[in-house]
Amino acid sequence: MKGVIIIKYEKSVAAIGGATVYMANEDGQDYIYSTDKTLGFKGVSTEYGIKAECNHENANVLRRLFPYTAPSRVLQHDKSFGVGDRLGVAAVGHIKVFERYDAYPVLVQQSIRELNLTHRTYEDVLDCVTYTVFKTGYKKGFGADGDHLKTEQDIQYALGLGFTMITLDCSEHIITDIDADFAVPQATLQRYADKFFEIEDGEVLSFDKEQLKQISMIYDDAIAFAADIYHKYIKGSNADFEISIDETATTTTPLQHFYVANELKQKGVNFATMAPRFCGEFQKGIDYIGDIAQFEKEIDIHAKIARYFGYKISVHSGSDKFSIFPMVAKATKGVFHVKTAGTNWLEAMRVVAAKDAELYRQIHKYALKMFTEAKKYYHVTTDITKIPDIDSLKDEDLPKLFDQNESRQLIHITYGFILDEYRGQLYTLWGTHHVEYEKALLTHIGKHLDLLGVPLISLK
Ligand code: ZN
């Protein structure tokens, strides 16, 4: 008869009252063990206490007993960084990154679209991180971001689970059709006509009548929407508020940015971060495309506006934007929030290419087949004819595909299709090769943080 293999996670061992709680892996399955049966965990009695499954109810108990396993408000720190663990397997690697770098992570960060494409729930996304945090004994804190939320229902869903950040996507309330009959409200006119706003270092903003009319027409509905959401749900909650006006076709000008912030403050809205739409292209999973000198000029003014009002600039689609990170760091004086998501998925797929060439080849061909369909949901300029023919590549060259923009974008935008088709095989592989994935994340997310000027924590 074969014995049961139990591997205890040494770093999870935690004391509460006179009891000990820890996690262990028993024949491939993680469980929580508690020496005290009355702490609230639901499970089976053992000789030593209780053995409980890692489900949502028990995760709630864990978060109540050990607050470091629950999300907290990390945007309050100067440097915060979002790493969406789309798959539920990246958190161990992410934690290693933030044990080394002096920035605070948002480990839970998903949009509703990501939930739909991965067939996950917020409960699942949050619980995965809670258990990983407990298992690894990570106590520095992490945020949970309901990312790009657009409806009251979704906001209530995220807040109900204790999410500590809500990113409000205002894009559907940003008006793009010109209304010739639009009249600027009288009170707005009074706030801006003939006024000069000195934001910093002699940088002065002022609005002429035509500019004011344009801006008021485009943004007033979005501002009203954000104010309504804030007063209904965010005020009095334990969540930071991020205003996202980045999902638009045109760049946010400094005047537009100032106006939105000023009007929100006028309406008593407190927010921690704002994501304008910067110049150039922030395509998923690849470096910045555009005029870097222009970006440097614009981020400088955006950062000044943010400081003037006392919030942080948030840079979305931050995956792999290596060429502009030093400018973000400089302009914001090291006070920023940056979000990444796709790159964490791409690193997971790089591991697949390195460890199972046959599987990767199949997935790659499947992605090519699904590319046109996937492209409907993303703005990318990928020229897939630039991707080398995979049949001509040697196995050992497959991971290098992830150094090339076109193949990165191919695998990035088809992730929902890939997961639907290869889920079981992929998760088995990531389970076996989790150490490689942790190393890949440490290197790759580490590179983001290095270029953003995030210092290392001195190792004791
Ligand atoms: Zn965004």
Side-chain angles (χ1 to χ4, degrees):
M1 208 178 78
K2 200 172 102 212
V4 181
I5 301 170
I6 301 178
I7 305 159
K8 188 168 167 184
Y9 297 106
E10 290 300 335
K11 288 185 175 169
S12 71
V13 180
I16 182 146
T20 302
V21 179
Y22 62 92
M23 270 175 76
N25 187 290
E26 196 169 316
D27 277 347
Q29 190 75 38
D30 282 347
Y31 294 95
I32 311 169
Y33 299 78
S34 168
T35 56
D36 183 341
K37 293 179 189 178
T38 65
L39 291 177
F41 294 113
K42 297 251 161 36
V44 292
S45 282
T46 69
E47 210 182 320
Y48 306 103
I50 196 164
K51 169 182 155 188
E53 266 179 47
C54 292
N55 58 26
H56 181 60
E57 284 66 37
N58 288 328
N60 280 335
V61 178
L62 204 55
R63 284 187 281 266
R64 178 167 50 74
L65 297 176
F66 304 101
Y68 60 87
T69 66
S72 57
R73 293 171 71 164
V74 298
L75 289 191
Q76 315 292 329
H77 298 286
D78 282 356
K79 295 167 178 53
S80 49
F81 194 91
V83 277
D85 180 5
R86 194 174 277 170
L87 303 164
V89 295
V92 178
H94 288 152
I95 285 168
K96 293 205 161 135
V97 173
F98 292 93
E99 279 173 339
R100 183 173 291 193
Y101 285 89
D102 195 9
Y104 288 79
V106 175
L107 296 177
V108 176
Q109 173 201 279
Q110 304 259 311
S111 65
I112 299 295
R113 178 167 75 174
E114 283 178 294
L115 291 183
N116 292 336
L117 286 174
T118 54
H119 309 295
R120 298 183 74 199
T121 60
Y122 271 156
E123 286 85 344
D124 172 37
V125 176
L126 175 63
D127 295 345
C128 271
V129 169
T130 286
Y131 285 119
T132 306
V133 163
F134 189 65
K135 225 153 75 168
T136 56
Y138 170 81
K139 297 190 178 71
K140 186 170 140 180
F142 66 93
D145 179 9
D147 196 11
H148 274 283
L149 299 186
K150 296 178 177 180
T151 68
E152 301 191 24
Q153 195 191 346
D154 294 339
I155 290 162
Q156 285 174 295
Y157 176 31
L159 289 176
L161 291 170
F163 277 44
T164 53
M165 173 175 181
I166 296 295
T167 299
L168 185 69
D169 184 325
C170 300
S171 57
E172 282 167 14
H173 298 266
I174 295 173
I175 310 297
T176 47
D177 309 320
I178 292 169
D179 171 8
D181 299 325
F182 180 83
V184 180
Q186 200 55 37
T188 309
L189 266 179
Q190 273 174 6
R191 276 199 290 281
Y192 297 91
D194 307 317
K195 296 269 168 60
F196 295 89
F197 302 94
E198 189 183 339
I199 49 172
E200 197 180 295
D201 299 338
E203 186 89 53
V204 175
L205 296 177
S206 68
F207 299 69
D208 68 31
K209 274 216 167 104
E210 196 44 41
Q211 285 169 327
L212 185 61
K213 183 178 163 184
Q214 284 277 340
I215 296 173
S216 162
M217 184 177 73
I218 297 171
Y219 288 102
D220 280 359
D221 187 32
I223 291 160
F225 171 61
D228 184 48
I229 293 291
Y230 174 78
H231 289 291
K232 262 193 195 151
Y233 302 105
I234 311 291
K235 196 178 171 179
S237 77
N238 183 35
D240 289 319
F241 198 29
E242 172 159 317
I243 306 292
S244 137
I245 53 170
D246 64 310
E247 303 282 317
T248 56
T250 53
T251 304
T252 313
T253 64
L255 279 186
Q256 291 173 335
H257 177 178
F258 181 91
Y259 179 86
V260 172
N262 198 45
E263 290 298 293
L264 287 171
K265 293 285 171 186
Q266 182 75 27
K267 293 180 187 305
V269 179
N270 248 315
F271 53 98
T273 36
M274 165 114 72
R277 161 87 156 78
F278 297 107
C279 61
E281 296 213 20
F282 284 70
Q283 293 190 21
K284 308 285 181 184
I286 61 169
D287 204 345
Y288 178 77
I289 301 172
D291 182 341
I292 289 183
Q294 179 71 18
F295 176 83
E296 184 165 24
K297 249 188 254 166
E298 292 194 11
I299 182 94
D300 189 59
I301 303 179
H302 285 303
K304 281 177 177 159
I305 295 170
R307 273 195 294 274
Y308 174 83
F309 289 107
Y311 55 83
K312 301 205 290 186
I313 286 289
S314 178
V315 178
H316 287 194
S317 303
S319 291
D320 304 271
K321 301 300 176 291
F322 300 124
S323 62
I324 55 155
F325 284 153
M327 290 147 205
V328 172
K330 187 172 167 229
T332 62
K333 302 185 178 175
V335 182
F336 54 75
H337 184 63
V338 172
K339 295 193 190 192
T340 64
T343 206
N344 301 290
W345 152 255
L346 288 172
E347 287 309 303
M349 289 306 294
R350 195 199 293 265
V351 173
V352 178
K355 295 297 171 189
D356 189 340
E358 196 39 54
L359 176 62
Y360 182 75
R361 285 176 195 278
Q362 280 179 40
I363 292 174
H364 187 94
K365 287 178 183 170
Y366 182 67
L368 285 170
K369 200 170 100 188
M370 302 315 288
F371 182 74
T372 315
E373 181 64 19
K375 220 178 152 209
K376 291 179 189 162
Y377 305 98
Y378 288 94
H379 169 67
V380 288
T381 51
T382 321
D383 176 2
I384 54 170
T385 63
K386 287 190 182 157
I387 301 172
D389 176 11
I390 194 156
D391 289 332
S392 72
L393 296 178
K394 289 188 219 135
D395 284 357
E396 62 264 36
D397 291 332
L398 295 180
K400 289 184 195 149
L401 284 167
F402 290 86
D403 299 328
Q404 196 230 16
N405 284 353
E406 285 74 20
S407 34
R408 287 180 74 79
Q409 288 193 307
L410 166 70
I411 299 300
H412 183 282
I413 71 165
T414 54
Y415 79 87
F417 296 107
I418 294 174
L419 279 173
D420 277 349
E421 198 68 19
Y422 296 96
R423 180 178 304 271
Q425 283 161 280
L426 285 170
Y427 275 89
T428 304
L429 185 141
W430 291 321
T432 310
H433 298 288
H434 64 92
V435 174
E436 281 78 5
Y437 188 36
E438 288 158 26
K439 278 188 200 153
L441 286 174
L442 187 53
T443 305
H444 197 69
I445 299 300
K447 186 176 171 189
H448 287 66
L449 298 172
D450 283 332
L451 287 164
L452 281 164
V454 178
L456 293 171
I457 296 166
S458 54
L459 298 168
K460 277 157 224 148

